[in-house]
Amino acid sequence: MTVPVKTSKLIKGTTGDWEVVIGLEVHAQVTSNSKLFSGASTAFGGEPNSHVSLVDAAMPGMLPVINGECVRQAVRTGLGLNAKINRRSVFDRKNYFYPDLPQGYQISQYKSPIVGEGEIVVELEGGKSATVGIERLHLEQDAGKSLHDQRPDVSFVDLNRSGVALMEIVSKPDIRDADQAKAYVTKLRSILRYLGTCDGDMEKGNLRADVNVSVRKPGGPLGTRCEIKNMNSINFIGQAIEYEARRQVEIIEDGGAIEQETRLFDPNKGETRSMRTKEEAHDYRYFPDPDLLPLEFSEAYVEELKAGLPELPDPKKARFMSELGLSPYDAGVLVAERESADFYETVLENLAHQVRDGKLAANWVINELFGRLNKEGRDISASPVSAPQLAAIVDLIGEGTISGKIAKDLFEIVWTGGGDPRALVEARGMKQVTDLSAIEKAVDDIISANPDKVAQVKAKPAAIQWFVGQVMKSSGGKANPQAVNDLLKSKLGI
Ligand code: ADP
Ligand code: MG
């Protein structure tokens, strides 16, 4: 059973302990070919102002037309967050002036968002998990980008992003420390990537978070919060929270008060600094956009999208545990990213049926493959060993053709030079020796050459490992370890 998060780390101040309260507003770029209200491309990295329609540039008389795909993606995301889908929602104008916002307002949703309350299960340390509440999800337009570093005397504006669809996903103030906040963003990003509704690429700014932080005495009323804007790295989110919470504790303990404001994190200094005082909703003069009808869905529309959702990380983890007998840890590692889960499932599909062993396959994917990929800083999509190749290696172990030790050599050969594992075993004579007479000869040789050790092993049976090692060595690692053990035990009489 999953429970709401609890405070795990308190901050020690001079007046006692402080609890940190955190809520996140995540902006996730919707995966779609065109923008929220225009047909211009959403492709990343185009020449400045090459993906701009007359609507995005806010030419007079242009009218927005809702992109059905963006709406579907938002509803699918809501369903993936176990959230209430609002069958009627409204687009509002959020008015403000900024050079990268040619309309003079952002089309967003205010009082009636497309998605209401939901929740996310986050993985915490020590294998624990807890739920974080989702307040709402709404659709809105992204703004353009001001470029101040091209020339010393003027600034430029690139409108390629202008009008791209964003989902703003707002959490409840349920998060209690930096690690929980990092776990929350990690899990949210994973769910979005499973759904294919946002690619989660934080470096490109396709997923960014505004982090609200306040402190209070444990169990007391909520304190005044500061909002740290536009964080696009999970590690920086953690650092910013740690810094900001301590800053607030020090101010309060020095007799000061927290002013609600918007702050920026400086990754070089590891500090947050003030950007502006917090604006209120009325500063934006929100009103329903007269150019757009409310969005209305039938129940059948929502049901159809629900039926088409992929298996998400939590149910997949549960299934890996119940159907394949994986440990919670292994299952958790495999489902953490959609690509890893896909890879593992492709390995399973490629295993020969009679020896299908999900646990052995999981060990090889996690320990050998992921271990090696991590060491070389490679992504799974760039793995030199493919899922069918890894399946062949696992099959060769499972059916007893090669030992686990030889399999590591084989993995190395496939990693560096590729090839069909089964053919490689054949060509290089790597097969495990199960021929009992050959093993027996090796066992006899070792026993007769080492009478002193034979005497020792009678007194201390654990010393049999020395004999096993010698026989394996003399066979070049190819003797079947079980057969070696059995023969040694019977010959040594232990
Ligand atoms: P706004 O739209 O003005 O930023 P919201 O009420 O929508 O305000 O809250 C924004 C975010 O701030 C939410 O994620 C919420 O959980 C979080 N939040 C609200 N109150 C607090 C608080 N006292 N401390 C920390 N986070 C808070
Ligand atoms: Mg806000």
Side-chain angles (χ1 to χ4, degrees):
M1 203 190 75
T2 322
V3 296
V5 289
K6 287 210 194 80
T7 300
S8 54
K9 278 181 210 137
L10 293 170
I11 294 186
K12 295 232 174 307
T14 51
T15 60
D17 287 342
W18 293 85
E19 182 179 42
V20 187
V21 175
I22 303 155
L24 283 91
E25 297 158 274
V26 169
H27 296 263
Q29 181 177 326
V30 175
T31 300
S32 66
N33 292 329
S34 50
K35 297 183 180 179
L36 185 53
F37 299 112
S38 87
S41 166
T42 58
F44 180 81
E47 279 291 298
N49 297 311
S50 59
H51 303 318
V52 186
S53 77
L54 297 171
V55 176
D56 311 322
M59 288 298 157
M62 295 299 113
L63 289 174
V65 176
I66 185 77
N67 178 342
E69 179 59 15
C70 296
V71 173
R72 269 191 291 282
Q73 293 285 57
V75 173
R76 294 178 69 243
T77 303
L79 292 168
L81 301 177
N82 296 313
K84 175 168 182 289
I85 305 302
N86 291 327
R87 299 261 299 279
R88 185 174 194 278
S89 66
V90 175
F91 285 105
D92 297 285
R93 289 188 182 177
K94 180 179 182 181
N95 299 279
Y96 65 98
F97 175 77
Y98 208 71
D100 64 15
L101 188 76
Q103 284 173 156
Y105 57 85
Q106 175 193 35
I107 304 179
S108 180
Q109 297 188 302
Y110 181 52
K111 288 206 172 123
S112 307
I114 187 167
V115 175
E117 292 188 338
E119 64 179 31
I120 292 187
V121 177
V122 296
E123 269 64 51
L124 304 177
E125 57 204 81
K128 290 199 205 113
S129 51
T131 55
V132 171
I134 301 290
E135 181 70 43
R136 59 190 265 147
L137 175 158
H138 65 254
L139 273 171
E140 63 184 28
Q141 300 175 298
D142 203 351
K145 196 170 152 195
S146 299
L147 306 168
H148 305 294
D149 56 357
Q150 309 286 304
R151 261 176 50 184
D153 53 340
V154 290
S155 289
F156 294 91
V157 175
D158 174 8
L159 294 180
N160 280 353
R161 288 193 90 109
S162 168
V164 166
L166 300 179
M167 296 179 282
E168 178 168 335
I169 303 164
V170 182
S171 86
K172 301 206 168 181
D174 281 353
I175 301 167
R176 292 290 174 270
D177 66 44
D179 287 338
Q180 292 176 6
K182 287 161 75 176
Y184 169 81
V185 178
T186 302
K187 186 61 175 285
L188 174 59
R189 179 173 178 274
S190 167
I191 292 172
L192 296 172
R193 285 162 54 84
Y194 268 80
L195 289 164
T197 56
C198 169
D199 71 12
D201 191 334
M202 298 185 79
E203 270 167 33
K204 287 188 187 154
N206 295 352
L207 189 98
R208 37 196 209 265
D210 299 342
V211 183
N212 295 272
V213 180
S214 66
V215 297
R216 66 176 176 187
K217 289 284 176 169
L222 285 179
T224 303
R225 71 193 147 110
C226 289
E227 177 175 355
I228 312 159
K229 274 278 180 206
N230 255 327
M231 305 287 305
N232 65 349
S233 139
I234 292 179
N235 277 332
F236 290 163
I237 288 174
Q239 290 172 28
I241 291 170
E242 304 265 4
Y243 176 86
E244 180 60 19
R246 277 187 194 285
R247 185 188 74 89
Q248 293 184 11
V249 166
E250 278 169 28
I251 289 176
I252 300 170
E253 291 194 329
D254 281 351
I258 302 302
E259 261 199 74
Q260 191 170 346
E261 61 179 359
T262 302
R263 300 179 69 85
L264 283 180
F265 179 66
D266 178 342
N268 296 318
K269 293 195 182 140
E271 296 172 2
T272 63
R273 62 185 153 77
S274 183
M275 182 179 157
R276 57 171 187 246
T277 56
K278 172 76 184 167
E279 62 292 309
E280 303 287 339
H282 61 249
D283 294 329
Y284 290 117
R285 302 176 334 275
Y286 278 102
F287 63 88
D289 192 312
D291 292 339
L292 289 158
L293 289 169
L295 280 178
E296 288 186 6
F297 312 135
S298 67
E299 190 167 344
Y301 169 86
V302 177
E303 284 307 313
E304 191 188 323
L305 291 177
K306 194 172 191 172
L309 290 185
E311 186 179 37
L312 292 172
D314 294 335
K316 200 183 275 295
K317 178 177 173 186
R319 184 169 62 80
F320 282 176
M321 288 163 59
S322 66
E323 281 181 15
L324 300 164
L326 301 194
S327 67
Y329 177 82
D330 284 358
V333 171
L334 290 170
V335 304
E337 287 291 339
R338 181 178 182 165
E339 287 75 9
S340 328
D342 284 351
F343 190 98
Y344 173 63
E345 292 195 279
T346 313
V347 170
L348 289 182
E349 280 162 25
N350 279 278
L351 287 181
H353 260 297
Q354 62 275 25
V355 289
R356 226 178 149 132
D357 184 341
K359 274 199 211 169
L360 185 62
N363 278 341
W364 273 78
V365 171
I366 294 169
N367 298 325
E368 302 306 319
L369 184 73
F370 290 177
R372 188 65 192 269
L373 289 168
N374 279 343
K375 210 159 92 190
E376 301 206 0
R378 286 206 206 201
D379 206 69
I380 187 134
S381 59
S383 170
V385 176
S386 70
Q389 282 171 322
L390 196 66
I393 297 175
V394 172
D395 267 345
L396 287 161
I397 308 167
E399 71 199 27
T401 306
I402 57 174
S403 65
K405 188 174 169 300
I406 292 286
K408 292 193 183 190
D409 298 341
L410 179 61
F411 178 84
E412 196 55 39
I413 294 168
V414 177
W415 177 280
T416 44
D420 170 19
R422 204 167 277 279
L424 284 165
V425 165
E426 207 57 60
R428 300 191 179 215
M430 298 170 87
K431 276 194 180 173
Q432 178 162 262
V433 177
T434 38
D435 170 2
L436 284 184
S437 61
I439 299 175
E440 189 166 9
K441 173 153 189 327
V443 166
D444 288 343
D445 288 351
I446 302 289
I447 288 177
S448 63
N450 297 282
D452 50 333
K453 299 268 183 193
V454 173
Q456 281 173 20
V457 85
K458 303 238 190 244
K460 202 175 137 231
I464 192 173
Q465 283 315 317
W466 181 84
F467 286 91
V468 175
Q470 292 299 306
V471 178
M472 292 305 289
K473 203 158 131 195
S474 81
S475 74
K478 287 188 285 186
N480 180 324
Q482 193 56 51
V484 173
N485 253 299
D486 292 348
L487 273 169
L488 275 169
K489 277 189 187 151
S490 78
K491 301 233 171 200
L492 292 168
I494 56 172

